[in-house]
Amino acid sequence: MPSPASVTISEDLDVSPIPSAPRSIQKDGSFVESVEIVAKANLTPKEAPRFIDVLFRRHKLKPVDLDAIATEVSVYDDPVLAPHFQPASKYENLHRFDPSARWTYRDERTIVRKIDWRIMLWAAISFSALNLDRNNLSNANSDGILKDLNLSTNDFNLGNTVFRLSFLCAELPSQLVSKRLGPDRWIPIQMCLWSIVTSAQFWLSGRTSFLVCRALLGFIQGGFIPDLILYLSYFYKKTELPLRLAYFWGSSNVCTVIGSFLAFGILRMRGVNGKEGWRWLFLIEGLITLSIGVATFFQMPPSPTQSKAWFRPKGWFTEREEVIMVNRVLRDDPTKSDMHNRQGLNLKDLWKGALNFDLYPIYILGLMFGLPSGPPSQYLTLSLKNLRFSTLDINLLTIPSTVAGLFTLIGITLLSEVFDSRSLVAAMQDVWVLPCLIALYILPAHPHPWTFYTVASVLLSYPYVSPLVLVAWASRNAGGVANRTINASLYNMFVQASAIVYANIYRADDAPRYVRGNRNLIIICAVNIFVLYPGTRFYYKWRNVQREKRWNAMSEEEKSDYLSTTKDEGNQRLDFRFAY
């Protein structure tokens, strides 16, 4: 059993002391006993982990004594560091903040399971609603919307560009609104507004109305994903969130499958009241997501301690559960108490976030990682239609790659548990896509339809790394609520910019084989694998080495004085270390 002086602050915190200068915990006897119990629990495991723990929790997968103390050692246990990380006076959960609170693994497992069912499940449903309305244009393509509205392939590209550009422009404004109103209010408002626009596409009449609706949808949906991720961070520790984001994005694959079956049935309504099937598709799916949007007003409590409402008088969590929820999250990341959940950002915050150049390597990856797979995915239904597959067959043929993508997403998630290298895992998407792009490039001028379909389906089964690795990586390297909020928006802006670029790689004069476009995609994919991912890893390792030298050159008094007086915030602090 280790002595109290040998137990040190966790080095995995964004703001923890670095390994070269750990601070020993020195508290009263009762706390020392608790720390010893934690250490002993780690040495004397009891119960084997269950499969559900493998899928939903990033605990070390060794058995644990469920009745042992699970409270993590943190900066709040160090009398020197604790004063520097106290919650803000306006922090909405301040009344449940208690550094002396202790809980067991059994307590935490029960609460996390409850959060998964109460919070995460509805977040996944909300995200599915986004994808149902965002992706139904692809299903409409299989029913001949371009021909019905007298649109060309380039008009289709322009519509996607307008959508992405509007989406991009709305990211930061949406975050400003979300931080002021609270994501629990702004998210359902967004859902209801875009659902109305989706349904309104029933009355599309031509190119102008098509482009106007694409612009409105993009502007209203912009910022939704960062808003939802910010909301989830109120409830989960940073080691729990990446895996849940993987399942969060996996719900979009499930939604795509459901959307394909819906389209298979709804598109058969062509001719009802003299209207095309794609019009009924927009109307019906818009009404479905509108109902989800209305329900979301009642399913998103503002914070862990604010689940009580007039329609839910008893709330979802007991006082004891609220104490555990608040303190386990703050012990994991004290910066989550920097701001109130309805505290708006100002232009100075935005400017500082935009000048945070240490995050630009990840932003560049956000711009580049999706380029190789974007055009084949966007043009799958059009390509299959050109190969003379029927409308109904096309919607069913998109399902296999979607289901396979869900499994590769889970696979890359579990792989990330084995390799503690974000850059290596992030590169796996492009490593998967590259040989498939080469295969598309060397296909004959008139390939057999099923040969093309097989290659395209394998390509589109790639493991999508953005939610698991890049989003979580960017959030981890931001530090602080304000930085994390702005960072999420800027990262997603680069992702949307990527979509604008790849929406114009396949051109009408290169159809139907898109040889020139595929050659360009191969080059981009190779640059990603052999230049960008290794370069990003090298940059963050170099930045850590530079800070390590400066920190180690300081005396203990200088370090304490720095922590007390520094104006540096988030990832600009000398004691912050970047993940790579």
Side-chain angles (χ1 to χ4, degrees):
M1 183 180 297
S3 66
S6 69
V7 183
T8 57
I9 304 298
S10 169
E11 297 168 5
D12 193 40
L13 287 173
D14 289 3
V15 292
S16 66
I18 60 176
S20 59
R23 294 185 180 274
S24 298
I25 302 171
Q26 298 174 352
K27 295 289 285 184
D28 58 72
S30 63
F31 175 69
V32 169
E33 182 181 8
S34 297
V35 174
E36 291 179 346
I37 292 174
V38 176
K40 184 177 181 181
N42 289 333
L43 295 173
T44 57
K46 299 293 179 65
E47 184 191 44
R50 301 170 302 170
F51 180 68
I52 194 73
D53 296 316
V54 177
L55 290 182
F56 287 100
R57 292 165 179 81
R58 283 175 52 106
H59 292 321
K60 297 296 183 182
L61 297 180
K62 57 184 178 182
V64 297
D65 180 354
L66 292 180
D67 295 315
I69 299 298
T71 309
E72 292 184 5
V73 181
S74 81
V75 293
Y76 296 116
D77 304 316
D78 189 315
V80 176
L81 293 178
H84 305 299
F85 298 101
Q86 294 300 302
S89 59
K90 294 184 178 180
Y91 177 53
E92 68 276 4
N93 302 313
L94 184 61
H95 60 296
R96 296 288 188 248
F97 175 66
D98 181 6
S100 67
R102 298 291 177 263
W103 55 90
T104 66
Y105 287 101
R106 190 186 306 277
D107 294 331
E108 188 161 22
R109 172 179 289 182
T110 300
I111 289 173
V112 171
R113 185 187 301 118
K114 198 170 183 178
I115 296 171
D116 287 338
W117 283 106
R118 293 289 193 181
I119 305 299
M120 186 65 209
L121 178 60
W122 196 262
I125 292 173
S126 300
F127 185 61
S128 296
L130 170 72
N131 285 287
L132 188 63
D133 283 348
R134 188 165 60 168
N135 298 335
N136 54 17
L137 180 60
S138 178
N139 299 120
N141 273 336
S142 67
D143 194 42
I145 185 176
L146 299 185
K147 180 179 179 181
D148 293 335
L149 295 178
N150 295 318
L151 301 176
S152 67
T153 300
N154 289 344
D155 291 328
F156 174 71
N157 288 343
L158 179 60
N160 283 311
T161 300
V162 168
F163 173 84
R164 298 293 183 178
L165 185 60
S166 300
F167 201 103
L168 184 154
C169 292
E171 288 284 351
L172 285 176
S174 179
Q175 284 288 280
L176 293 176
V177 175
S178 180
K179 279 299 295 174
R180 176 63 65 183
L181 294 181
D184 57 295
R185 295 173 178 171
W186 180 234
I187 287 173
I189 291 174
Q190 285 179 288
M191 295 176 68
C192 292
L193 289 176
W194 86 54
S195 298
I196 292 171
V197 176
T198 296
S199 294
Q201 292 179 107
F202 180 87
W203 291 277
L204 288 178
S205 59
R207 186 174 185 268
T208 300
S209 58
F210 171 73
L211 295 177
V212 169
C213 283
R214 300 314 296 170
L216 287 174
L217 282 172
F219 191 79
I220 296 171
Q221 293 177 354
F224 177 83
I225 295 174
D227 293 341
L228 204 50
I229 293 174
L230 174 65
Y231 176 75
L232 290 174
S233 72
Y234 296 163
F235 297 88
Y236 290 109
K237 298 191 292 187
K238 66 176 180 289
T239 53
E240 296 168 341
L241 195 55
L243 207 55
R244 281 164 176 80
L245 290 180
Y247 289 95
F248 177 74
W249 254 267
S251 68
S252 71
N253 292 54
V254 176
C255 174
T256 300
V257 173
I258 294 174
S260 295
F261 280 114
L262 284 174
F264 180 80
I266 295 172
L267 293 180
R268 291 171 177 263
M269 295 177 65
R270 174 175 278 267
V272 175
N273 289 337
K275 302 296 184 181
E276 297 87 345
W278 57 263
R279 295 186 188 274
W280 293 110
L281 181 71
F282 287 137
L283 180 63
I284 294 173
E285 290 191 350
L287 293 175
I288 291 173
T289 56
L290 179 61
S291 64
I292 296 175
V294 172
T296 302
F297 279 104
F298 304 95
Q299 293 293 325
M300 293 185 69
S303 75
T305 64
Q306 296 173 302
S307 62
K308 292 182 180 179
W310 63 267
F311 52 86
R312 195 168 47 236
K314 294 185 178 181
W316 282 341
F317 308 105
T318 66
E319 180 178 331
R320 166 70 174 164
E321 289 173 334
E322 290 179 355
V323 169
I324 296 174
M325 290 165 67
V326 170
N327 287 278
R328 77 185 201 96
V329 167
L330 293 188
R331 281 180 169 274
D332 177 69
D333 186 353
T335 64
K336 290 184 178 180
S337 64
D338 287 349
M339 300 178 70
H340 190 274
N341 62 355
R342 302 204 195 285
Q343 181 179 342
L345 300 173
N346 54 45
L347 293 178
K348 181 180 178 181
D349 294 327
L350 294 178
W351 181 247
K352 288 171 62 178
L355 294 181
N356 194 337
F357 296 113
D358 280 320
L359 292 171
Y360 274 77
I362 299 179
Y363 295 161
I364 293 172
L365 290 180
L367 176 68
M368 298 294 292
F369 87 97
L371 291 179
S373 59
S377 176
Q378 185 171 281
Y379 274 78
L380 177 63
T381 55
L382 285 175
S383 297
L384 294 181
K385 195 166 187 66
N386 290 334
L387 292 172
R388 303 191 182 285
F389 285 100
S390 71
T391 297
L392 301 180
D393 287 342
I394 290 173
N395 284 287
L396 294 179
L397 289 173
T398 61
I399 293 176
S401 61
T402 303
V403 174
L406 177 60
F407 284 100
T408 57
L409 176 62
I410 295 173
I412 200 69
T413 299
L414 298 178
L415 185 66
S416 71
E417 298 292 313
V418 179
F419 297 99
D420 186 22
S421 173
R422 292 159 178 82
S423 53
L424 173 63
V425 176
M428 291 299 103
Q429 176 172 328
D430 287 322
V431 170
W432 178 290
V433 168
L434 182 59
C436 297
L437 286 174
I438 295 174
L440 282 180
Y441 180 73
I442 63 178
L443 283 177
H446 301 286
H448 190 281
W450 288 106
T451 301
F452 174 87
Y453 170 73
T454 300
V455 174
S457 293
V458 173
L459 188 157
L460 297 180
S461 301
Y462 61 84
Y464 187 48
V465 301
S466 180
L468 171 65
V469 182
L470 296 179
V471 172
W473 190 5
S475 177
R476 165 66 176 81
N477 280 358
V481 175
N483 282 347
R484 196 169 286 126
T485 301
I486 298 167
N487 149 262
S489 293
L490 289 174
Y491 169 78
N492 212 36
M493 289 173 69
F494 276 80
V495 173
Q496 300 310 317
S498 172
I500 293 174
V501 174
Y502 73 60
N504 295 279
I505 290 180
Y506 282 180
R507 305 295 297 175
D509 61 348
D510 196 27
R513 289 280 293 105
Y514 303 111
V515 175
R516 182 182 67 239
N518 286 328
R519 181 175 63 245
N520 293 336
L521 294 179
I522 291 172
I523 295 172
I524 293 170
C525 197
V527 170
N528 289 351
I529 296 172
F530 299 109
V531 179
L532 291 185
Y533 289 111
T536 301
R537 178 181 176 84
F538 172 81
Y539 174 79
Y540 285 127
K541 289 185 68 174
W542 173 76
R543 288 289 283 148
N544 285 350
V545 169
Q546 296 301 311
R547 289 189 178 182
E548 192 84 7
K549 290 179 179 178
R550 292 181 60 188
W551 185 260
N552 289 340
M554 299 168 65
S555 66
E556 289 299 317
E557 292 74 16
E558 288 174 329
K559 292 174 184 177
S560 180
D561 182 64
Y562 172 83
L563 293 173
S564 301
T565 61
T566 183
K567 301 296 182 182
D568 297 336
E569 298 178 354
N571 63 9
Q572 300 304 302
R573 292 169 58 102
L574 280 179
D575 57 340
F576 183 92
R577 296 297 176 266
F578 294 100
Y580 54 82

